[in-house]
Amino acid sequence: MTQTIVNQGGGDPLEEAKAFVAKWMNCMGTVQEVLEENEQLKQRVASLESENAALTETVEQWKNNDEWSNRVTYDSVVEQIAACEDAKERDEARKLIEPLLKKSQVTQFRRDIKRRVKELNEEGDAYSDKLVAQVLEASAGKGLIIDAKWKWAGAYWLLRWACNYPVDAKDFCKKIGSLEMDIAAEYECSYESIRKICTLSFMDYDPRRMDAVRVSKNDQGMFSQCREIVLKLVDEFQKSSLPQE
C-alpha cells in the first residue's frame, strides 16, 4: 500500500500517507458510531418487545378474568337499578338485564338489588316528617331560604332523595300540604310554581352527591340556584337534628 502511495508521484509521499491514514481513521470512527447506534437501537427494540409482551399478557389476563370484569359491570348495574325510585321501573330494568347474566348470577342479582334498595331507603329516611316540617316552616318566608314559591323546587329536589318524598311534583305538594306548618300564603308550596322545574333532568340525580349531577347548558342557571337552596336546607336539617342543649 505504501508503494502505491509513493507511485502516485507528484506530492510528498509522507504527507499523502498521513492524509490517507486520517481519512481511514475518520471512516473507522463513523463505522464505530454506526455500530454503537445500531446496538442501542437493538436494545431499545428488545425493551419495547418486552414491554409489549407484558402488556399483552395483562390484557389476556383481564379478558380471561371473568370474575373481575363482570364484577365491575355487575356492581354498577345493581347500583343504577336499585336507585330507581319507582318499583315498576326497577322491575322492568331488572328484567332487561337478567337475560344477560349467567343463571347462577340471577338469584344473587335479585338479592343484591333488594339489599341495595333497602340500604337506600334507610339512608333516605334521615329526617322525620316532624323535623322536615320544623325546618321548612323556619325556612319559608321573606328573607329566608324559600322566599319565593318556585324555590320549593329546591326542597323537592332534596326531599325526594333524602326522605323518599313523592317524585311526582303534584303528590309532593300534597305531601308538603299535609305537614303541620304555619307558613304565610304567599310562600306556600304551589304545584304550578314548581312543576316545570321538577321536570328538569338534574332532578333525577341525588343532590347530596353533587359531583355526580350532570347538567345541560340550558339548565345550568336553575341548577345553580336549586343547588344553593339544597345546601342551605341540608345545613338547617343538620343543625336541627343535633341534640338540644
Side-chain angles (χ1 to χ4, degrees):
M1 182 174 64
T2 305
Q3 185 63 38
T4 302
I5 295 173
V6 173
N7 291 337
Q8 289 178 352
D12 183 346
L14 183 58
E15 291 301 323
E16 290 180 0
K18 288 181 179 180
F20 177 80
V21 171
K23 288 181 180 180
W24 182 79
M25 292 295 292
N26 185 55
C27 289
M28 291 300 295
T30 302
V31 170
Q32 183 64 29
E33 290 177 2
V34 171
L35 291 173
E36 290 176 355
E37 184 177 351
N38 184 57
E39 184 61 29
Q40 291 175 357
L41 289 173
K42 284 183 178 179
Q43 293 176 2
R44 179 57 178 159
V45 168
S47 176
L48 290 173
E49 288 178 344
S50 177
E51 290 178 13
N52 182 61
L55 289 172
T56 301
E57 182 180 356
T58 300
V59 170
E60 289 303 317
Q61 288 177 350
W62 285 353
K63 287 181 180 178
N64 296 327
N65 191 346
D66 291 337
E67 183 179 354
W68 178 85
S69 59
N70 287 340
R71 195 75 233 169
V72 176
T73 304
Y74 180 88
D75 288 346
S76 61
V77 169
V78 167
E79 187 76 16
Q80 290 179 41
I81 292 178
C84 294
E85 292 189 355
D86 185 80
K88 184 179 179 180
E89 289 182 4
R90 282 199 303 271
D91 192 50
E92 290 176 351
R94 177 182 59 76
K95 288 179 179 178
L96 287 173
I97 297 299
E98 280 185 359
L100 303 177
L101 296 173
K102 297 176 182 177
K103 289 183 179 180
S104 60
Q105 290 179 301
V106 172
T107 301
Q108 186 61 44
F109 180 66
R110 292 175 181 172
R111 288 174 181 167
D112 287 346
I113 289 178
K114 288 182 179 179
R115 173 186 55 77
R116 186 59 187 137
V117 168
K118 184 174 183 295
E119 289 175 355
L120 288 170
N121 287 336
E122 289 174 350
E123 291 171 7
D125 197 20
Y127 311 125
S128 65
D129 283 351
K130 183 178 180 180
L131 180 58
V132 170
Q134 175 186 329
V135 170
L136 293 180
E137 184 177 18
S139 300
K142 184 177 180 180
L144 301 175
I145 299 171
I146 303 175
D147 58 2
K149 285 193 172 185
W150 74 263
K151 291 190 175 182
W152 281 97
Y156 162 84
W157 190 22
L158 172 64
L159 294 176
R160 63 167 284 195
W161 288 94
C163 298
N164 289 323
Y165 270 39
V167 175
D168 182 82
K170 187 174 290 187
D171 290 340
F172 171 80
C173 292
K174 290 180 181 178
K175 173 69 174 179
I176 295 298
S178 71
L179 300 177
E180 296 182 6
M181 296 186 295
D182 182 15
I183 297 175
E186 61 266 34
Y187 299 110
E188 288 179 349
C189 182
S190 165
Y191 170 67
E192 289 302 319
S193 300
I194 68 171
R195 62 185 181 86
K196 290 183 178 180
I197 303 173
C198 293
T199 62
L200 299 181
S201 60
F202 65 81
M203 290 282 177
D204 292 328
Y205 293 90
D206 191 336
R208 295 166 300 173
R209 299 176 178 84
M210 290 294 180
D211 57 335
V213 178
R214 297 177 178 82
V215 188
S216 68
K217 290 183 179 179
N218 292 336
D219 298 343
Q220 184 65 53
M222 184 54 66
F223 164 75
S224 298
Q225 295 180 74
C226 286
R227 179 182 184 277
E228 188 66 23
I229 296 167
V230 166
L231 293 176
K232 289 180 178 178
L233 286 175
V234 168
D235 187 49
E236 292 303 314
F237 275 116
Q238 291 174 343
K239 289 178 182 177
S240 299
S241 60
L242 292 174
Q244 300 297 315
E245 294 183 0

